[in-house]
Amino acid sequence: MDLDFIGGEVQEGKQELRLWLKLLATTKLISQELRRRLRSEFGATLPQFDLLAQLYREPDGLRLGELSKRTMVTNGNVTGLVERLETDGLIRRVTSGADRRVTVARLTDEGRAFFGRMADAHEGWIRDLMSDVDPSTIRTLLEDADTLKQSARTHLSGPEEG
Amino acid sequence: MDLDFIGGEVQEGKQELRLWLKLLATTKLISQELRRRLRSEFGATLPQFDLLAQLYREPDGLRLGELSKRTMVTNGNVTGLVERLETDGLIRRVTSGADRRVTVARLTDEGRAFFGRMADAHEGWIRDLMSDVDPSTIRTLLEDADTLKQSARTHLSGPEEG
DNA sequence: TATTGTTATACTCTATAACTATA
DNA sequence: TATAGTTATAGAGTATAACAATA
C-alpha cells in the first residue's frame, strides 16, 4: 500500500501479474499446437491425453474420484470423458467388488499400446518446441514452476486439501 | 541421439516433458481459480478478460483481426466473443471509414470502468496466489518463461509469422 | 447421513469451412 | 483475386445441481 518501487524501475506488485500473463500466453501457445497435432494425428484431445496418462502410470487402474482429482476435472465431467474413451476401446470400467459404489478405470491392452505411441510423439513435439531452451534453464523452470504451484495451491479459496 | 544421461540420474530428453506437465498443471490450477472468481464476482470468463485487457491498453481500439492475433482466438470465434461483450455494453464496434471491410472494437466508458475494477481484483488474486514465491524467483520465471515462449513460437508447425 | 458416481442442463470455447462485402 | 469479418456447424470442455445406489 506504500511504495512499490525497486530501484525506481518496476512496481513489484505488477510483476506477478506480468508473470501470470506470460505464463498463460506461453501455455496457451503450446497447448494449441499440441491440441492441433493430437487431433490430426491421433484424433485425441488434451484432456483425454491427460486422463490416459494418469492411467498409464497405474497398471491397476484408478477410481473415478481419484482420476477426477488428478486431472482436475469434476466428477460429472470425468464420467463423460471416460465414456468416450471406453467407447473407443481404450479403457474399461469395472465395479469394485469390495465397495460396490466404487468404479475403477484402467487401460485396455489396446489403450496401453495406443497411448504409448501417442506419448512418444507427444514427447518429441515437446522436445522440439523447447529445443531453443538450454537444459539448465529447463531445470530452473521446473523448480520455480513447482514453487509457484505450491504457492497457488496453498492460497486457493475453495475447500481443497492438497 | 547418443547418451541421454547427466550424472547417471535423469534422461535429458524427459526433462522437457516433465516441465511441460508441470507448467500445464500449474496454469490449469491457477486458471480454474481465476475463472471461478471472475465468474462469481464479475460474471466474466477468462477469454473475455483477455480480450478486454487488450482493448484496455489501446484507447483507440483494435481491428478485429488484430484482436484475434493477440488473443490467439480465431477470427470466427472473436466475432462471437465481441458480440457478447457488445451486448453487455462493454465494447462497441465501429466500421472504419477508410476501408469499409475493417471493423474496430473499443471499450465503452462503462467497459473501461468495469474492466478497471475487474483488473484490480484480478491483480490482487494473482498476488495472493503467488505470495509464497519470492520476488527474485518471480523475475527469473518471467525471463525463463519468455525464453520458452520464443522457442515454442519458432518451432510451431503452422504458417505463423511471429 | 455421507459418499461414489451418474445424469441433466446450460453455456462457453474451439476448430473448420463456407460465405459476404469490400478492396 | 485477396482480405476482413461473419455465419454456420459440430464437438468438447466447464460448472452446477439434482439424483440413485451403496455404505
Side-chain angles (χ1 to χ4, degrees):
Chain A
M1 291 302 191
D2 327 300
L3 48 126
D4 271 339
F5 290 80
I6 298 180
E9 271 178 22
V10 279
Q11 285 187 291
E12 180 163 337
K14 301 281 185 186
Q15 291 296 85
E16 286 86 347
L17 181 56
R18 285 188 61 211
L19 171 56
W20 170 242
L21 295 176
K22 177 79 70 182
L23 278 180
L24 195 57
T26 304
T27 55
K28 187 170 183 179
L29 186 69
I30 297 178
S31 289
Q32 284 188 334
E33 180 71 11
L34 294 177
R35 259 208 307 266
R36 206 159 21 228
R37 297 192 194 182
L38 278 177
R39 168 155 342 169
S40 69
E41 300 193 22
F42 296 97
T45 66
L46 216 46
Q48 286 170 357
F49 180 85
D50 190 19
L51 193 152
L52 292 174
Q54 299 299 334
L55 295 182
Y56 193 74
R57 295 178 204 155
E58 303 283 348
D60 295 337
L62 285 171
R63 296 156 55 133
L64 296 190
E66 182 60 24
L67 208 40
S68 165
K69 273 187 201 162
R70 297 201 190 182
T71 55
M72 294 190 265
V73 170
T74 59
N75 269 358
N77 291 330
V78 152
T79 297
L81 266 171
V82 161
E83 244 155 28
R84 260 167 264 145
L85 294 168
E86 193 170 34
T87 300
D88 293 344
L90 300 178
I91 71 181
R92 206 168 41 123
R93 264 181 298 195
V94 178
T95 300
S96 164
D99 182 340
R100 305 224 331 266
R101 291 172 306 178
V102 170
T103 302
V104 170
R106 58 190 304 174
L107 288 179
T108 61
D109 291 344
E110 182 193 345
R112 182 160 292 276
F114 176 77
F115 181 77
R117 289 196 301 278
M118 187 159 62
D120 282 349
H122 180 270
E123 191 183 320
W125 301 333
I126 298 286
R127 199 149 35 193
D128 180 39
L129 289 168
M130 297 192 181
S131 56
D132 294 345
V133 185
D134 65 88
S136 71
T137 303
I138 298 273
R139 279 193 295 275
T140 305
L141 263 172
L142 194 48
E143 275 177 41
D144 291 350
D146 197 61
T147 302
L148 175 55
K149 188 178 174 191
Q150 295 309 324
S151 176
R153 221 209 285 259
T154 306
H155 296 277
L156 292 178
S157 61
E160 303 287 331
E161 316 105 37
Chain B
M1 292 303 189
D2 326 300
L3 48 126
D4 272 338
F5 290 80
I6 298 180
E9 272 179 21
V10 280
Q11 284 187 293
E12 181 162 335
K14 301 279 184 186
Q15 290 297 83
E16 286 86 347
L17 182 56
R18 285 188 61 212
L19 171 57
W20 170 243
L21 296 176
K22 178 79 70 181
L23 278 180
L24 196 57
T26 305
T27 55
K28 187 169 184 181
L29 186 68
I30 298 178
S31 290
Q32 284 187 334
E33 180 70 12
L34 294 177
R35 259 206 307 266
R36 205 158 23 226
R37 297 192 193 182
L38 279 176
R39 170 154 342 167
S40 68
E41 299 193 20
F42 296 96
T45 66
L46 216 45
Q48 287 169 357
F49 179 86
D50 189 19
L51 193 151
L52 292 174
Q54 299 299 333
L55 295 181
Y56 193 74
R57 295 179 204 156
E58 303 282 349
D60 295 337
L62 285 171
R63 296 156 56 134
L64 296 190
E66 181 61 24
L67 208 41
S68 165
K69 272 186 202 163
R70 297 201 190 181
T71 56
M72 294 190 265
V73 170
T74 58
N75 269 359
N77 292 331
V78 154
T79 297
L81 266 172
V82 161
E83 243 154 29
R84 260 166 263 145
L85 294 169
E86 194 170 33
T87 300
D88 292 344
L90 300 178
I91 70 180
R92 205 168 45 123
R93 263 181 298 194
V94 178
T95 301
S96 164
D99 182 339
R100 306 224 330 265
R101 293 171 305 179
V102 171
T103 302
V104 170
R106 60 189 304 173
L107 288 179
T108 60
D109 290 343
E110 183 193 346
R112 182 161 291 276
F114 176 77
F115 181 77
R117 288 196 301 280
M118 186 159 61
D120 281 349
H122 181 269
E123 192 183 320
W125 300 334
I126 297 286
R127 199 152 32 196
D128 181 39
L129 289 168
M130 297 191 181
S131 56
D132 294 345
V133 186
D134 65 89
S136 71
T137 302
I138 298 273
R139 279 193 296 274
T140 305
L141 262 172
L142 194 49
E143 275 178 41
D144 291 349
D146 197 61
T147 303
L148 174 56
K149 187 179 174 191
Q150 296 309 324
S151 176
R153 222 209 284 260
T154 306
H155 296 276
L156 293 178
S157 60
E160 304 286 331
E161 316 103 37

